[in-house]
């Protein structure tokens, strides 16, 4: 991997694959012309597509995979029967050191299960979490878990808090990010027993993190904290509810600008500024959630995204790979663990053994 | 109650009470000049406020209450010690038939516990749910539960689906509203065991309702279904995440319009249309969630709302009271139960006994 960065892509995963994968690579290459891509998927389909575009073909190498993991396959099914799939093979390329990271828009549950089995979790991490940036009134924040673990216990949430903290320091460059735990009220007695216990641990522990306390759904848009920690069910619903609201607002604005001749003329004058806002809240801009806590860079693209969104997910993986992010997060995570008095080896055995 | 409708208000509940309550009543009276209000709260505070406004004083009657339920009080505490509170007394006025309905911006958990104890649930309903309208690309939809029950089992969710269906028929006037169950994917195996079981029951049952299946967070804004059913934790987080996103988008747009001289001039021409959009998605417009499933109209206002938001919650209660909504929903609910072959009396004993 010396010199050029190589990324491994699941060319067949997602609702509109492989079309958006190849178009996404084209877009991503305008930002990162030097990156090489391993395209995992059906050679009979991918070959002719690549043949039509010489510059794209030069940057890509097809790695044939017979199978595709379907969107409705259970993780356990995918693990048993999916060893010839484009998703599994894309992950293997990272494990084998052929690629600095990988991206898939495929089945989230299968992706998570395969990535965990193949790449294994970092010492002290039971389950990886999906993390991504979200727009707020005060810049971006990190939210996790966005859907990898529908149900989480106290240990999981504490681990997510630590990983989110390190992610915010590394990716957002914050010195002391503050961490909020998503709840339905900010008072101590609010929410589930799991949340109250997690809050008590984060508040009283010797972990070197800044715990803000509980935050509510509207604190995401406000940017009250730098890291929002939640279980994968709540995080996924919140993420998609936010995306849906952005689209709703955009569609209302579009109709408003078209509602009269005066507003059509006015729109010509505000268009540049309005388009900046649209770009700022565009869910595609935030596409590409990283599985935190694995020995390797694995980025999940939204399954229904288009080429622009997939290109953003590719750029997330490129950024993380270029900056050796996973080595940093691993080192930082070990430091946090040592500071907390936990023994990484014991934790590793518990997590992986 | 013949002739004029009487509403009972918790004048001391919420972050900015009693100020926004009285101002809210003033605003609500411009829409409903004939409604009478029973203001429950501290006479020494409310008396002088009313004395300053003769027309408001004519429409209101102060009912002294010594206590206030604090925002951080646990429901069990409030039940034990809150019998002299403005919240409890406001509910009692509905129970005693003095008022057609009541509104409070106070502590949600205490409100729920007191309303349930005092007004009791309808036959067949274990726990009431908070329901409200939400804006979508296809008109409004009904979402429940918005925070009354942090954790829900299959029975609760099935009951919410039935109540939401009747609410959508009665309030939105839909003939055959379709019902969606909020999840993190639409495939059968997605989400928690509770959700999968609930889906199976709603799909296979003889209940005369139209079950769409699972929906995701972005289906709220899309308006994929007419009723979104979820537990109170997820519903509350989604509701507030949506509110936060509306505010975020509005603030970005405001900054965009101010970003250059050209866009400022353009704004003057699109302002009317843009303000309509702002009003359309304004969380205050959707303020006022009804506790469904009780023998009485009880409306919860957002605790941090202003006078405009509180006025909207008052108008929700007025509308429900004027149209005898609770009698309708009770009758409709019994019909649904009979059609499903359930015995209301047995269910009532199970729920209340």
């Amino acid at each position: 991997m010396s010199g050029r960065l190589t990324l491994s892509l699941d060319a067949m995963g997602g609702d509109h694959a492989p079309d958006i994968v190849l178009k996404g690579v084209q877009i991503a290459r305008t930002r990162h012309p030097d990156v090489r891509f391993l395209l995992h998927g059906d050679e009979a389909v991918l070959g002719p597509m690549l043949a039509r575009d010489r510059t794209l073909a030069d940057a890509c190498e097809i790695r044939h995979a017979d199978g595709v993991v379907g969107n409705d396959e259970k993780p356990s099914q995918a693990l048993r029967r999916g060893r010839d799939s484009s998703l599994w093979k894309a992950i293997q390329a990272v494990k084998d050191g052929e690629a600095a990271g990988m991206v898939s828009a495929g089945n989230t549950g299968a992706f998570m299960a395969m990535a965990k089995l193949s790449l294994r979790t970092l010492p002290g991490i039971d389950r990886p979490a999906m993390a991504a940036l979200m727009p707020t009134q005060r810049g971006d924040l990190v939210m996790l878990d966005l859907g990898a673990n529908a149900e989480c216990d106290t240990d999981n949430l504490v681990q997510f808090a630590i990983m989110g903290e390190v992610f915010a320091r590394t990716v957002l460059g914050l010195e002391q990010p503050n961490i909020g735990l998503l709840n339905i009220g900010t008072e101590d007695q609010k929410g589930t027993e799991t949340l109250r216990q997690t809050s008590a641990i984060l508040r009283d522990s010797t972990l070197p993190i800044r715990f803000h306390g509980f935050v509510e759904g509207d604190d995401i848009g406000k940017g009250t904290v730098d890291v929002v920690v939640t279980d994968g069910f709540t995080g996924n619903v919140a993420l998609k509810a936010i995306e849906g609201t952005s689209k709703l607002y955009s569609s209302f604005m579009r109709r408003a600008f078209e509602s009269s001749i005066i507003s059509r003329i006015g729109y010509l004058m505000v268009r540049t500024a309005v388009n900046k806002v649209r770009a700022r809240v565009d869910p595609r801009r935030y596409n590409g959630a990283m599985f935190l806590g694995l020995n390797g860079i694995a980025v999940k693209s939204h399954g229904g995204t288009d080429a622009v969104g997939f290109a953003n997910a590719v750029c997330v993986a490129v950024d993380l790979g270029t900056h050796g992010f996973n080595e940093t997060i691993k080192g930082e995570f070990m430091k946090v663990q040592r500071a907390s008095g936990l023994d990484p080896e014991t934790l590793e055995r518990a997590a992986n053994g």
Side-chain angles (χ1 to χ4, degrees), chain A:
Chain A
M1 286 194 298
S2 69
R4 289 176 80 180
L5 186 87
T6 302
L7 276 195
S8 167
L9 305 181
D10 170 10
M12 312 306 278
D15 304 346
H16 312 293
D19 201 44
I20 58 123
V21 173
L22 273 86
K23 286 188 182 141
V25 169
Q26 274 173 323
I27 297 168
R29 287 196 71 241
T30 61
R31 276 179 271 173
H32 302 287
D34 285 339
V35 177
R36 267 185 72 231
F37 297 93
L38 306 179
L39 299 181
H40 298 266
D42 187 347
E43 192 155 25
V45 174
L46 299 173
M49 290 175 82
L50 270 194
R52 272 178 246 135
D53 184 336
R54 170 63 67 94
T55 50
L56 192 61
D58 284 346
C60 297
E61 184 182 321
I62 297 172
R63 297 287 177 93
H64 180 70
D66 272 328
V68 181
V69 175
N71 270 340
D72 49 358
E73 265 185 76
K74 287 187 191 169
S76 54
Q77 271 182 336
L79 280 183
R80 271 199 317 276
R81 302 195 301 219
R83 300 299 168 100
D84 65 344
S85 69
S86 54
L87 175 55
W88 177 258
K89 291 189 169 176
I91 297 168
Q92 288 314 101
V94 176
K95 192 194 175 189
D96 298 342
E98 281 196 282
M102 55 80 60
V103 183
S104 173
N107 180 324
T108 310
F111 189 174
M112 157 82 170
M114 285 178 166
K116 196 182 160 195
L117 180 71
S118 174
L119 302 176
R120 303 215 145 212
T121 52
L122 295 175
I125 298 297
D126 297 316
R127 291 155 85 177
M130 276 168 73
L133 301 181
M134 313 270 296
T136 85
Q137 305 215 21
R138 289 178 46 250
D140 291 345
L141 61 70
V142 178
M143 187 152 109
L144 74 168
D145 178 21
L146 297 176
N149 311 282
E151 285 164 291
C152 294
D153 63 19
T154 301
D155 288 348
N156 298 141
L157 292 172
V158 169
Q159 291 166 14
F160 295 173
I162 299 172
M163 291 197 289
E165 202 266 352
V166 178
F167 190 84
R169 273 197 282 142
T170 321
V171 172
L172 296 179
L174 301 173
E175 259 182 51
Q176 265 215 308
N178 61 350
I179 319 290
L181 192 58
L182 193 57
N183 200 344
I184 58 173
T186 53
E187 299 84 7
D188 280 349
Q189 86 282 6
K190 285 288 169 77
T192 60
E193 186 58 30
T194 303
L195 284 174
R196 290 190 291 267
Q197 279 177 6
T198 306
S199 171
I201 293 172
L202 291 174
R203 194 175 294 289
D204 303 333
S205 77
T206 55
L207 291 171
I209 66 171
R210 226 170 101 208
F211 181 55
H212 170 92
F214 291 137
V215 293
E216 300 184 65
D218 53 342
D219 287 307
I220 302 169
K222 282 184 198 160
T224 307
V225 291
D226 304 305
V227 181
V228 172
V229 174
T230 185
D231 64 85
F233 189 90
T234 312
N236 187 276
V237 168
L239 172 77
K240 287 179 182 161
I242 287 168
E243 286 179 6
T245 309
S246 288
K247 284 185 191 162
L248 176 68
Y249 210 117
S250 289
S251 100
F252 281 165
M253 290 305 276
R254 206 164 29 241
R255 277 187 245 165
F257 292 136
E258 286 166 5
S259 63
S260 73
I261 291 176
I262 297 287
S263 64
R264 275 170 199 259
I265 298 168
Y267 174 63
L268 298 176
M269 304 176 80
V270 298
R271 188 169 50 181
T272 312
V274 166
N275 283 343
K276 271 187 212 156
V277 175
R278 282 197 185 128
R280 180 91 181 76
V281 298
D282 186 346
R284 295 179 303 179
R285 193 172 103 86
Y286 296 90
N287 188 39
M290 175 161 171
F291 280 110
L292 287 185
L294 292 172
N295 288 298
I297 292 168
V299 172
K300 167 76 175 87
S301 161
H302 197 303
T305 196
D306 63 9
V308 173
F310 194 83
N312 277 326
V314 168
C315 292
V316 168
V318 172
D319 286 342
L320 295 171
T322 309
H323 297 106
F325 169 76
N326 223 39
E327 290 313 305
T328 312
I329 205 168
K330 208 159 141 179
E332 287 294 314
F333 193 67
M334 303 289 254
K335 270 194 243 166
V336 170
Q337 282 178 324
R338 271 194 295 274
S340 70
L342 302 172
D343 168 17
E345 278 182 30
T346 314
L347 288 164
E348 182 164 31
R349 272 197 303 277
N352 288 328

